[in-house]
Structures are given as structure tokens and as C-alpha cells.
Amino acid sequence: MVAISSGFRLAAIFGIGAVLSACSLGGGRSFDTQGLMAPPAQCSIKPSDVGVAERMSAIDEGNGCRVPNPWRVSAIANVSFSEPATLNCGMADPLNDWLRNVVDPAAQRNFGESVMSVDIVASYDCRARNNESGAKMSEHGFGNAIDIAAFNLASGRKVSVKEGWYGSAAERGFLRLVRQQACNDFMTVLGPGSDSYHRDHFHLDLQNRGSGGHYCQ
Ligand SMILES: [Zn+2]
């Protein structure tokens, strides 16, 4: 009887220990944000003025990930998002400019039709860069980044980053142009050829490097 009860006690102690260490590993994880500047709380344009968007309450996960002025964005510049994106308000202006003045004219020129929607694969996401443990926090942790995997045209044709990058002349021309021009609106632009993590999507972010430098690879 004594042996059983002490066995129970041991099991209980080990059980509690396992739960505690799991919590401290998961919930207490902090990201390295050295050199990263959180996005400003004010926006140059209101996301709902240029698209379909609802204001959310500020996000602060206490581990580096925080979005001072988040919006749930479903469309910008008449281009629908495949899923609502959680973005800091400062993303609305560059997305609006790029979708309206670069993406749509490029689609007209290359395909003779408009882009109706984009496939969003990530927006706000509290994680390290490229999901690598020990890496610095991603701009996704500030709601300051969006990942786009495909552009859907009015006819229903899908131009995906992964296949289209090596696709027809029109697809190659369109994707290269919109990627290159995105560097005027965003501070970081990554895609196929940048590294193995960006083979199948464009990553666009507003990382404030202090120097005002862009990184478009
Ligand atoms: Zn990304």
C-alpha cells in the first residue's frame, strides 16, 4: 500500500514537472527582436478606405510579437483575399498602391484581364524567420508582412508563384514585373530564387532597417 501510494506521488510529481516545463517552453518563448523596430501605431491611410477591413484590438503577446494597430483585411483595391489577413494598418497603403498601380495594369498587359483575388498564405504570425528555431522574429510577428502564393484572374485562371515563375512567357513576365515593382512599395521582397523557403510565394514586408534600406532578392 505504501509502495503504491509513493508511486502515485512520484507519478504526480513527474506529471506536474512535465506540464510545467512544457508551459515554460511554449508560453514563455521570447523572440530575438534586436534591430527590429515595431511598426508605428498610426496609418497613412485607413485600410477600410481602400478595401474591406475591420479594426481589431491591439495584439501584444509579450514575447516580441505585437501589432499596435491591427486590421482584419478581406480586400484591398478591389482585389479579394482568399482568407482575411491580420495586418498592421501601415500595410494598407503599400498594398493598395501595388495592387492598383502595378498588379492590375500588369495583368491587363500580360493577360488582358484583371486580378480578382490573391491567395494569401500568411499574414500576422508569431514566429521566427522561416520558422527556424533560434532565428530572429519574423516581420510577420509585427503584422507587417504578407505572403502571396497566387493571383486569380477574372476568367478563373490562376497564376501561381510556384508554377508561373517557370510558366508561360505571360506568366513569367507578369510575376517578374510585379515582384520587381513591389520593391518600390515594400522594404523586403522575397520569392523564388531568394532561398528554399520562398519557392512558392512572394513575401512582402515593411521592415524598418533604420538606414531606409530595401532588401529585394
Ligand atoms: Zn513571409
Side-chain angles (χ1 to χ4, degrees), residues 119 149-151 158-166 171 175 200:
D119 290 359
F151 300 82
K158 183 184 284 291
V159 180
S160 78
V161 172
K162 189 179 177 187
E163 274 97 35
W165 193 254
Y166 304 101
E171 289 172 339
L175 290 170
D200 58 359

Side-chain angles (χ1 to χ4, degrees), residues 122 127 140 145-147 198 201 203:
R127 60 169 166 86
H140 285 283
I146 195 161
D147 291 349
H198 297 91
H201 67 273
H203 164 100

Side-chain angles (χ1 to χ4, degrees), residues 121-123 127 130 138-140 145-148 190 197-198 201-205:
V121 287
S123 54
R127 60 169 166 86
N130 302 325
S138 164
E139 282 291 311
H140 285 283
I146 195 161
D147 291 349
I148 296 175
L190 302 170
Y197 300 100
H198 297 91
H201 67 273
F202 291 153
H203 164 100
L204 314 173
D205 80 41

Side-chain angles (χ1 to χ4, degrees), residues 48-60:
S48 53
D49 286 347
V50 292
V52 180
E54 283 168 45
R55 200 169 179 161
M56 302 165 67
S57 5
I59 298 169
D60 187 348

Side-chain angles (χ1 to χ4, degrees), residues 4 20 25 31 56-57 61 63 66 81 102 107 122 132 162 166 193 200 209 211 213 216:
I4 290 168
L20 283 177
L25 282 174
F31 293 97
M56 302 165 67
S57 5
E61 303 212 20
N63 59 357
R66 58 200 166 100
F81 290 0
V102 175
E132 283 174 331
K162 189 179 177 187
Y166 304 101
D200 58 359
R209 295 188 170 81
S211 60
C216 304

